[in-house]
Coordinates of all heavy atoms in Angstrom, one line a residue:
M1 N 52.8 -12.8 -19.3 CA 52.0 -11.6 -18.7 C 50.9 -12.1 -17.8 O 50.2 -13.1 -18.1 CB 51.5 -10.9 -19.9 CG 50.7 -9.6 -19.4 SD 50.1 -8.6 -20.9 CE 51.3 -7.3 -20.7
S2 N 50.6 -11.4 -16.8 CA 49.5 -11.8 -16.0 C 48.1 -11.6 -16.6 O 47.9 -10.7 -17.3 CB 49.6 -10.9 -14.7 OG 48.4 -11.1 -13.9
Q3 N 47.3 -12.7 -16.2 CA 46.0 -12.5 -16.9 C 45.1 -11.7 -15.8 O 43.9 -11.6 -16.1 CB 45.4 -13.9 -17.0 CG 46.1 -14.6 -18.2 CD 45.3 -15.8 -18.6 OE1 44.2 -16.1 -18.1 NE2 45.8 -16.6 -19.5
A4 N 45.6 -11.2 -14.9 CA 44.9 -10.3 -13.9 C 44.5 -9.0 -14.6 O 43.6 -8.3 -14.0 CB 45.6 -9.9 -12.6
F5 N 45.1 -8.7 -15.8 CA 44.8 -7.4 -16.4 C 43.9 -7.7 -17.5 O 44.2 -8.7 -18.3 CB 46.0 -6.7 -16.8 CG 46.8 -6.1 -15.6 CD1 48.0 -7.0 -15.3 CD2 46.4 -5.0 -15.0 CE1 48.8 -6.6 -14.2 CE2 47.3 -4.7 -13.9 CZ 48.4 -5.4 -13.4
V6 N 42.8 -7.2 -17.7 CA 41.9 -7.4 -18.8 C 42.4 -6.6 -20.0 O 42.5 -5.4 -20.0 CB 40.4 -7.1 -18.4 CG1 39.5 -7.3 -19.7 CG2 40.0 -7.9 -17.3
R7 N 42.6 -7.2 -21.1 CA 42.9 -6.5 -22.3 C 41.5 -5.9 -22.9 O 40.5 -6.5 -22.8 CB 43.5 -7.5 -23.4 CG 44.8 -8.1 -23.0 CD 45.4 -8.8 -24.1 NE 44.4 -9.7 -24.7 CZ 44.5 -11.0 -24.7 NH1 45.3 -11.6 -24.1 NH2 43.5 -11.7 -25.4
E8 N 41.8 -4.9 -23.6 CA 40.6 -4.2 -24.2 C 39.7 -5.1 -25.2 O 38.6 -5.0 -25.1 CB 41.0 -2.9 -25.0 CG 39.9 -2.1 -25.5 CD 40.4 -0.7 -26.1 OE1 41.4 -0.3 -25.7 OE2 39.7 -0.2 -27.0
S9 N 40.5 -5.9 -25.8 CA 39.9 -6.9 -26.8 C 39.0 -7.9 -26.0 O 38.2 -8.7 -26.7 CB 40.7 -7.5 -27.7 OG 41.7 -8.3 -27.0
D10 N 39.2 -8.0 -24.7 CA 38.5 -9.0 -24.0 C 37.1 -8.6 -23.5 O 36.3 -9.3 -22.9 CB 39.3 -9.5 -22.8 CG 40.5 -10.4 -23.2 OD1 40.5 -10.8 -24.4 OD2 41.4 -10.5 -22.4
E11 N 36.8 -7.3 -23.7 CA 35.6 -6.8 -23.2 C 34.4 -7.3 -24.0 O 34.5 -7.6 -25.2 CB 35.7 -5.2 -23.3 CG 36.5 -4.5 -22.3 CD 36.6 -3.1 -22.4 OE1 35.4 -2.6 -22.8 OE2 37.5 -2.4 -22.0
Q12 N 33.3 -7.4 -23.3 CA 32.1 -7.9 -24.0 C 30.9 -6.9 -23.7 O 30.9 -6.4 -22.6 CB 31.7 -9.3 -23.5 CG 30.5 -10.0 -24.1 CD 30.2 -11.3 -23.6 OE1 30.6 -11.7 -22.5 NE2 29.7 -12.2 -24.4
W13 N 30.1 -6.7 -24.7 CA 29.0 -5.8 -24.5 C 27.7 -6.5 -24.4 O 27.7 -7.7 -24.8 CB 28.9 -5.0 -25.9 CG 30.1 -4.0 -26.0 CD1 31.2 -4.3 -26.8 CD2 30.2 -2.7 -25.6 NE1 32.0 -3.3 -26.8 CE2 31.6 -2.3 -25.9 CE3 29.5 -2.0 -24.7 CZ2 32.0 -1.0 -25.6 CZ3 30.1 -0.7 -24.3 CH2 31.3 -0.4 -24.7
L14 N 26.8 -6.1 -23.8 CA 25.4 -6.7 -23.5 C 24.8 -7.3 -24.6 O 24.4 -8.4 -24.6 CB 24.5 -5.6 -22.8 CG 23.2 -6.2 -22.5 CD1 23.2 -7.3 -21.4 CD2 22.3 -5.0 -21.9
H15 N 24.9 -6.4 -25.8 CA 24.3 -7.1 -27.0 C 25.0 -8.3 -27.6 O 24.5 -9.0 -28.5 CB 24.1 -6.1 -28.0 CG 25.4 -5.5 -28.7 ND1 25.9 -4.4 -28.1 CD2 25.9 -5.9 -29.7 CE1 27.1 -4.2 -28.8 NE2 27.1 -5.0 -29.8
E16 N 26.2 -8.6 -27.1 CA 27.0 -9.7 -27.5 C 26.8 -10.9 -26.7 O 27.2 -12.0 -27.0 CB 28.5 -9.3 -27.6 CG 28.8 -8.3 -28.4 CD 30.3 -7.7 -28.3 OE1 30.9 -7.8 -27.1 OE2 31.0 -7.3 -29.3
V17 N 26.1 -10.8 -25.6 CA 25.9 -12.0 -24.7 C 24.9 -12.9 -25.4 O 23.9 -12.5 -26.0 CB 25.3 -11.5 -23.4 CG1 25.0 -12.6 -22.5 CG2 26.3 -10.6 -22.8
Q18 N 25.2 -14.3 -25.2 CA 24.2 -15.3 -25.8 C 22.9 -15.1 -25.3 O 22.7 -14.6 -24.1 CB 24.7 -16.6 -25.4 CG 26.1 -17.0 -26.0 CD 25.9 -17.2 -27.5 OE1 25.1 -17.8 -28.0 NE2 27.0 -16.5 -28.2
P19 N 21.8 -15.4 -26.0 CA 20.4 -15.1 -25.8 C 19.8 -16.0 -24.8 O 18.6 -16.6 -24.9 CB 19.8 -15.2 -27.0 CG 20.5 -16.0 -27.9 CD 21.9 -15.9 -27.5
T20 N 20.5 -16.3 -23.6 CA 20.1 -17.3 -22.6 C 20.1 -16.5 -21.3 O 21.0 -15.8 -21.1 CB 20.9 -18.6 -22.5 OG1 22.1 -18.3 -22.1 CG2 20.9 -19.4 -23.7
L21 N 19.2 -16.9 -20.4 CA 19.2 -16.2 -19.0 C 20.4 -16.6 -18.3 O 21.0 -15.7 -17.7 CB 17.9 -16.7 -18.3 CG 17.8 -16.0 -16.9 CD1 17.7 -14.5 -17.0 CD2 16.6 -16.5 -16.3
N22 N 21.0 -17.7 -18.3 CA 22.2 -18.1 -17.7 C 23.4 -17.2 -18.2 O 24.2 -16.8 -17.5 CB 22.5 -19.6 -17.9 CG 23.7 -20.1 -17.1 OD1 23.7 -19.8 -15.8 ND2 24.7 -20.6 -17.6
A23 N 23.5 -17.1 -19.5 CA 24.6 -16.2 -20.1 C 24.4 -14.8 -19.7 O 25.4 -14.1 -19.2 CB 24.6 -16.2 -21.6
L24 N 23.3 -14.3 -19.4 CA 22.9 -12.9 -19.0 C 23.4 -12.8 -17.5 O 24.1 -11.8 -17.2 CB 21.4 -12.6 -19.1 CG 21.1 -11.2 -18.5 CD1 21.8 -10.1 -19.2 CD2 19.7 -11.0 -18.6
V25 N 23.0 -13.8 -16.6 CA 23.3 -13.8 -15.4 C 25.0 -13.9 -15.1 O 25.5 -13.1 -14.3 CB 22.8 -15.1 -14.5 CG1 23.4 -15.2 -13.2 CG2 21.3 -14.8 -14.5
V26 N 25.7 -14.7 -15.9 CA 27.1 -14.7 -15.9 C 27.7 -13.3 -16.3 O 28.6 -12.9 -15.6 CB 27.6 -15.8 -16.8 CG1 29.1 -15.8 -16.9 CG2 27.3 -17.1 -16.3
Y27 N 27.2 -12.7 -17.4 CA 27.8 -11.5 -17.8 C 27.4 -10.3 -16.8 O 28.4 -9.7 -16.4 CB 26.9 -11.0 -19.1 CG 27.3 -9.6 -19.6 CD1 28.5 -9.4 -20.2 CD2 26.4 -8.6 -19.4 CE1 28.8 -8.0 -20.6 CE2 26.6 -7.4 -19.7 CZ 27.8 -7.1 -20.4 OH 28.1 -5.9 -20.8
L28 N 26.3 -10.3 -16.2 CA 26.0 -9.3 -15.2 C 26.8 -9.5 -13.9 O 27.1 -8.5 -13.4 CB 24.5 -9.2 -14.9 CG 23.6 -8.8 -16.1 CD1 22.1 -8.9 -15.7 CD2 24.0 -7.4 -16.6
T29 N 27.0 -10.7 -13.6 CA 27.7 -11.1 -12.3 C 29.2 -10.4 -12.5 O 29.8 -9.8 -11.7 CB 27.8 -12.5 -12.0 OG1 26.3 -12.7 -11.7 CG2 28.6 -12.7 -10.8
R30 N 29.7 -10.8 -13.7 CA 31.1 -10.3 -14.0 C 31.2 -8.8 -14.1 O 32.2 -8.2 -13.5 CB 31.6 -10.9 -15.4 CG 33.0 -10.6 -15.7 CD 33.5 -11.3 -17.0 NE 32.7 -11.1 -18.1 CZ 31.9 -12.0 -18.8 NH1 31.9 -13.2 -18.4 NH2 31.2 -11.6 -19.8
E31 N 30.1 -8.2 -14.6 CA 30.1 -6.8 -14.6 C 30.0 -6.1 -13.2 O 30.3 -5.0 -13.1 CB 29.0 -6.3 -15.6 CG 29.2 -6.5 -17.0 CD 30.6 -5.7 -17.5 OE1 30.6 -4.5 -17.4 OE2 31.4 -6.4 -18.2
N32 N 29.4 -6.9 -12.4 CA 29.1 -6.3 -11.0 C 30.3 -6.7 -10.0 O 30.0 -7.0 -8.8 CB 27.8 -7.0 -10.5 CG 27.2 -6.3 -9.4 OD1 27.4 -5.0 -9.2 ND2 26.5 -6.9 -8.6
N33 N 31.5 -6.9 -10.7 CA 32.6 -7.1 -9.8 C 32.6 -8.5 -9.0 O 33.0 -8.6 -8.0 CB 33.1 -6.1 -8.8 CG 33.4 -4.8 -9.6 OD1 34.1 -4.8 -10.6 ND2 32.8 -3.7 -9.1
G34 N 31.9 -9.5 -9.7 CA 31.8 -10.9 -9.2 C 30.6 -11.1 -8.0 O 30.4 -12.1 -7.6
V35 N 30.0 -9.9 -7.8 CA 28.8 -10.0 -6.8 C 27.6 -10.6 -7.7 O 27.3 -10.0 -8.7 CB 28.4 -8.8 -6.3 CG1 27.2 -8.7 -5.4 CG2 29.5 -8.1 -5.5
R36 N 27.1 -11.7 -7.3 CA 26.1 -12.4 -8.1 C 24.8 -11.7 -8.3 O 24.3 -10.9 -7.5 CB 25.7 -13.7 -7.4 CG 24.6 -14.5 -8.2 CD 24.9 -16.0 -8.1 NE 23.8 -16.8 -8.6 CZ 23.6 -17.1 -9.8 NH1 24.4 -16.7 -10.7 NH2 22.7 -17.9 -10.2
V37 N 24.4 -11.6 -9.5 CA 23.2 -11.0 -10.0 C 22.3 -12.0 -10.3 O 22.7 -13.0 -11.1 CB 23.5 -10.0 -11.2 CG1 22.2 -9.4 -11.8 CG2 24.5 -8.9 -10.9
Y38 N 21.0 -12.0 -10.0 CA 20.1 -13.1 -10.3 C 18.7 -12.5 -10.7 O 18.5 -11.3 -10.5 CB 19.9 -14.0 -9.1 CG 19.5 -13.2 -7.8 CD1 18.1 -13.0 -7.5 CD2 20.4 -12.7 -7.0 CE1 17.8 -12.3 -6.4 CE2 20.1 -12.0 -5.9 CZ 18.7 -11.8 -5.5 OH 18.3 -11.1 -4.5
E39 N 17.9 -13.3 -11.3 CA 16.7 -12.9 -11.8 C 15.7 -12.9 -10.5 O 15.5 -13.8 -9.8 CB 16.1 -13.9 -12.8 CG 14.7 -13.5 -13.3 CD 14.1 -14.4 -14.3 OE1 14.2 -15.6 -14.1 OE2 13.6 -14.0 -15.2
Q40 N 15.0 -11.8 -10.4 CA 14.0 -11.6 -9.2 C 12.6 -12.1 -9.7 O 11.8 -12.7 -8.9 CB 14.1 -10.2 -8.7 CG 15.3 -9.9 -8.1 CD 15.3 -8.4 -7.4 OE1 14.8 -7.6 -8.1 NE2 15.8 -8.3 -6.3
K41 N 12.4 -11.8 -10.9 CA 11.0 -12.1 -11.6 C 11.1 -11.9 -12.9 O 12.0 -11.2 -13.5 CB 9.9 -11.4 -10.9 CG 9.7 -9.8 -11.1 CD 8.5 -9.3 -10.5 CE 8.4 -7.7 -10.9 NZ 7.2 -7.2 -10.3
N42 N 10.0 -12.4 -13.7 CA 9.9 -12.0 -15.2 C 8.4 -11.8 -15.5 O 7.6 -12.4 -14.7 CB 10.6 -13.0 -16.0 CG 10.0 -14.4 -15.9 OD1 8.7 -14.5 -16.2 ND2 10.8 -15.3 -15.6
F43 N 8.2 -11.1 -16.5 CA 6.8 -10.9 -16.9 C 6.8 -10.6 -18.4 O 7.8 -10.3 -19.0 CB 6.1 -9.8 -16.1 CG 6.8 -8.5 -16.3 CD1 6.4 -7.5 -17.3 CD2 7.8 -8.0 -15.5 CE1 7.1 -6.4 -17.4 CE2 8.5 -6.8 -15.7 CZ 8.0 -5.9 -16.7
V44 N 5.5 -10.7 -19.0 CA 5.4 -10.3 -20.4 C 4.8 -8.9 -20.5 O 3.7 -8.7 -19.8 CB 4.7 -11.3 -21.1 CG1 4.4 -11.1 -22.6 CG2 5.4 -12.8 -21.1
D45 N 5.4 -8.0 -21.2 CA 4.8 -6.7 -21.3 C 3.7 -6.6 -22.3 O 3.3 -7.6 -22.9 CB 5.9 -5.6 -21.5 CG 6.4 -5.7 -23.0 OD1 5.9 -6.5 -23.8 OD2 7.4 -4.9 -23.3
K46 N 3.1 -5.4 -22.5 CA 1.9 -5.2 -23.4 C 2.3 -5.6 -24.8 O 1.3 -5.9 -25.6 CB 1.4 -3.8 -23.2 CG 0.8 -3.5 -21.9 CD 0.3 -2.0 -21.8 CE -0.2 -1.7 -20.4 NZ -0.6 -0.3 -20.3
Q47 N 3.6 -5.5 -25.3 CA 3.8 -5.8 -26.6 C 4.2 -7.3 -26.8 O 4.7 -7.7 -27.9 CB 5.0 -5.0 -27.1 CG 4.7 -3.5 -27.3 CD 5.1 -2.6 -26.1 OE1 5.8 -3.1 -25.1 NE2 4.7 -1.4 -26.2
G48 N 4.1 -8.0 -25.6 CA 4.5 -9.5 -25.7 C 5.9 -9.8 -25.6 O 6.2 -10.9 -25.9
I49 N 6.6 -8.9 -25.1 CA 8.1 -9.0 -24.7 C 8.4 -9.5 -23.4 O 7.9 -9.0 -22.4 CB 8.9 -7.8 -25.1 CG1 8.6 -7.3 -26.5 CG2 10.3 -7.9 -24.6 CD1 9.2 -6.0 -26.9
E50 N 9.1 -10.6 -23.2 CA 9.5 -11.1 -22.0 C 10.6 -10.3 -21.3 O 11.6 -10.0 -21.9 CB 9.9 -12.6 -22.0 CG 10.2 -13.2 -20.7 CD 10.7 -14.7 -20.7 OE1 11.0 -15.1 -21.8 OE2 10.5 -15.3 -19.7
V51 N 10.2 -9.7 -20.1 CA 11.2 -8.9 -19.4 C 11.6 -9.5 -18.0 O 10.9 -10.2 -17.4 CB 10.4 -7.5 -19.1 CG1 11.3 -6.6 -18.3 CG2 10.0 -6.8 -20.2
H52 N 12.9 -9.4 -18.0 CA 13.5 -10.1 -16.8 C 14.0 -9.0 -15.9 O 14.7 -8.3 -16.2 CB 14.8 -10.9 -17.2 CG 14.4 -12.0 -18.1 ND1 14.1 -13.2 -17.9 CD2 14.4 -12.0 -19.4 CE1 13.8 -13.9 -18.9 NE2 14.1 -13.2 -20.0
V53 N 13.4 -9.0 -14.6 CA 13.8 -8.1 -13.6 C 14.9 -8.7 -12.7 O 14.8 -9.8 -12.1 CB 12.6 -7.8 -12.5 CG1 13.0 -6.8 -11.5 CG2 11.4 -7.3 -13.5
M54 N 16.1 -8.1 -12.8 CA 17.3 -8.6 -12.2 C 17.7 -7.8 -10.9 O 17.2 -6.7 -10.6 CB 18.4 -8.5 -13.2 CG 18.2 -9.1 -14.6 SD 17.7 -10.9 -14.4 CE 19.3 -11.6 -14.1
S55 N 18.4 -8.6 -10.1 CA 18.8 -8.1 -8.8 C 19.7 -6.8 -8.7 O 19.8 -6.2 -7.7 CB 19.3 -9.1 -7.9 OG 20.6 -9.6 -8.6
N56 N 20.2 -6.4 -9.9 CA 21.0 -5.3 -10.0 C 20.1 -4.0 -10.2 O 20.6 -2.8 -10.4 CB 22.1 -5.4 -11.0 CG 21.4 -5.5 -12.5 OD1 20.2 -5.6 -12.6 ND2 22.2 -5.4 -13.5
G57 N 18.7 -4.1 -10.2 CA 18.0 -3.0 -10.4 C 17.6 -2.6 -11.7 O 16.8 -1.7 -11.8
L58 N 18.0 -3.4 -12.7 CA 17.6 -3.1 -14.1 C 16.8 -4.3 -14.5 O 16.8 -5.4 -14.1 CB 18.8 -3.0 -14.9 CG 19.8 -1.9 -14.5 CD1 21.0 -1.8 -15.4 CD2 18.9 -0.5 -14.7
N59 N 16.0 -3.9 -15.7 CA 15.3 -5.0 -16.5 C 15.8 -5.2 -17.7 O 16.3 -4.2 -18.4 CB 13.8 -4.4 -16.6 CG 13.1 -4.2 -15.2 OD1 13.5 -4.6 -14.2 ND2 12.1 -3.3 -15.3
Y60 N 15.8 -6.4 -18.2 CA 16.4 -6.7 -19.4 C 15.4 -7.6 -20.3 O 14.7 -8.3 -19.9 CB 17.6 -7.6 -19.2 CG 18.7 -6.9 -18.5 CD1 18.7 -6.9 -17.0 CD2 19.7 -6.3 -19.0 CE1 19.7 -6.2 -16.4 CE2 20.8 -5.6 -18.3 CZ 20.7 -5.7 -17.0 OH 21.7 -5.0 -16.4
A61 N 15.5 -7.4 -21.6 CA 14.7 -8.2 -22.6 C 15.6 -8.5 -23.9 O 16.6 -7.8 -24.0 CB 13.5 -7.4 -22.9
K62 N 15.0 -9.3 -24.7 CA 15.8 -9.7 -26.0 C 14.9 -8.9 -27.1 O 13.7 -8.9 -27.1 CB 15.9 -11.0 -26.2 CG 16.8 -11.7 -25.2 CD 16.9 -13.3 -25.6 CE 15.8 -14.0 -24.8 NZ 15.8 -15.5 -24.8
D63 N 15.7 -8.4 -28.1 CA 15.1 -7.9 -29.4 C 14.7 -9.2 -30.2 O 14.9 -10.1 -29.9 CB 15.9 -6.8 -29.9 CG 17.3 -7.3 -30.5 OD1 17.4 -8.6 -30.6 OD2 18.1 -6.4 -30.8
K64 N 14.2 -8.7 -31.5 CA 13.9 -9.7 -32.5 C 14.8 -10.6 -32.8 O 14.7 -11.6 -33.4 CB 13.1 -8.9 -33.6 CG 11.9 -8.4 -33.2 CD 11.2 -7.5 -34.4 CE 9.9 -6.8 -33.9 NZ 9.3 -6.0 -35.0
E65 N 16.1 -10.0 -32.8 CA 17.3 -10.8 -33.2 C 17.8 -11.6 -32.1 O 19.0 -12.2 -32.3 CB 18.4 -9.8 -33.8 CG 17.9 -9.0 -35.0 CD 18.9 -7.9 -35.4 OE1 19.8 -7.6 -34.8 OE2 18.7 -7.4 -36.5
G66 N 17.4 -11.5 -30.9 CA 17.8 -12.3 -29.7 C 18.9 -11.6 -28.9 O 19.6 -12.2 -28.2
K67 N 19.0 -10.3 -29.1 CA 20.0 -9.5 -28.5 C 19.6 -9.0 -27.2 O 18.5 -8.2 -27.2 CB 20.8 -8.5 -29.5 CG 21.5 -9.2 -30.6 CD 22.1 -8.2 -31.5 CE 22.6 -8.9 -32.7 NZ 24.0 -9.1 -32.8
W68 N 20.3 -9.0 -26.2 CA 19.9 -8.4 -24.8 C 19.9 -6.9 -24.9 O 20.8 -6.3 -25.5 CB 20.7 -8.8 -23.7 CG 20.5 -10.3 -23.4 CD1 21.4 -11.4 -23.7 CD2 19.3 -10.8 -22.8 NE1 20.9 -12.5 -23.2 CE2 19.6 -12.3 -22.6 CE3 18.3 -10.4 -22.0 CZ2 18.8 -13.1 -22.0 CZ3 17.3 -11.2 -21.6 CH2 17.7 -12.6 -21.4
Y69 N 19.0 -6.2 -24.2 CA 19.0 -4.7 -24.0 C 18.4 -4.5 -22.8 O 17.6 -5.3 -22.1 CB 18.3 -4.1 -25.2 CG 16.8 -4.3 -25.4 CD1 15.9 -3.3 -24.7 CD2 16.3 -5.3 -26.0 CE1 14.5 -3.6 -24.8 CE2 15.0 -5.7 -26.2 CZ 14.0 -4.7 -25.6 OH 12.7 -4.8 -25.7
V70 N 18.6 -3.2 -22.2 CA 18.1 -2.8 -20.9 C 16.7 -2.1 -21.3 O 16.6 -1.3 -22.2 CB 19.0 -1.7 -20.2 CG1 18.4 -1.2 -19.0 CG2 20.3 -2.4 -20.0
V71 N 15.7 -2.6 -20.5 CA 14.3 -2.0 -20.7 C 14.2 -0.8 -19.8 O 14.4 -0.8 -18.6 CB 13.3 -3.0 -20.2 CG1 11.8 -2.4 -20.4 CG2 13.4 -4.2 -21.1
W72 N 13.9 0.4 -20.5 CA 13.8 1.6 -19.6 C 12.4 1.8 -19.3 O 11.7 2.3 -18.8 CB 14.4 2.8 -20.3 CG 15.7 2.7 -20.7 CD1 16.3 2.3 -21.9 CD2 16.9 2.8 -19.9 NE1 17.7 2.2 -21.9 CE2 18.2 2.5 -20.6 CE3 17.1 3.1 -18.5 CZ2 19.3 2.6 -20.0 CZ3 18.2 3.3 -17.9 CH2 19.3 2.9 -18.6

């Protein structure tokens, strides 16, 4: 069978991505149909959370368990 088709079990969710910036970039690039997503800047918010501003227009941070989430 061709691997050009993604099986449902091969899908990955944001919170399942390893807690490294490189893993986030790889995941976001794959989700963006191969168009590279990169970090534009980062900062620490008022609660002391490191926020990564990405080129896809969204901001990402890690929770206390090291899982990625979108910062609204």
Side-chain angles (χ1 to χ4, degrees):
M1 177 180 258
S2 172
Q3 291 189 4
F5 298 98
V6 177
R7 293 187 318 248
E8 186 174 333
S9 62
D10 290 342
E11 291 182 25
Q12 186 179 30
W13 296 94
L14 178 61
H15 68 272
E16 297 173 331
V17 175
Q18 294 295 312
T20 65
L21 183 58
N22 188 54
L24 178 64
V25 167
V26 170
Y27 171 79
L28 294 176
T29 298
R30 186 173 56 241
E31 290 294 308
N32 198 31
N33 295 317
V35 177
R36 180 137 167 88
V37 175
Y38 56 90
E39 181 183 43
Q40 293 181 318
K41 67 178 182 175
N42 65 56
F43 63 92
V44 177
D45 72 4
K46 293 178 182 177
Q47 288 99 7
I49 298 171
E50 185 175 17
V51 177
H52 302 271
V53 179
M54 305 303 284
S55 62
N56 66 352
L58 297 174
N59 300 339
Y60 297 86
K62 291 182 275 187
D63 65 15
K64 294 177 184 176
E65 297 173 354
K67 296 179 188 260
W68 289 107
Y69 66 93
V70 176
V71 177
W72 299 102

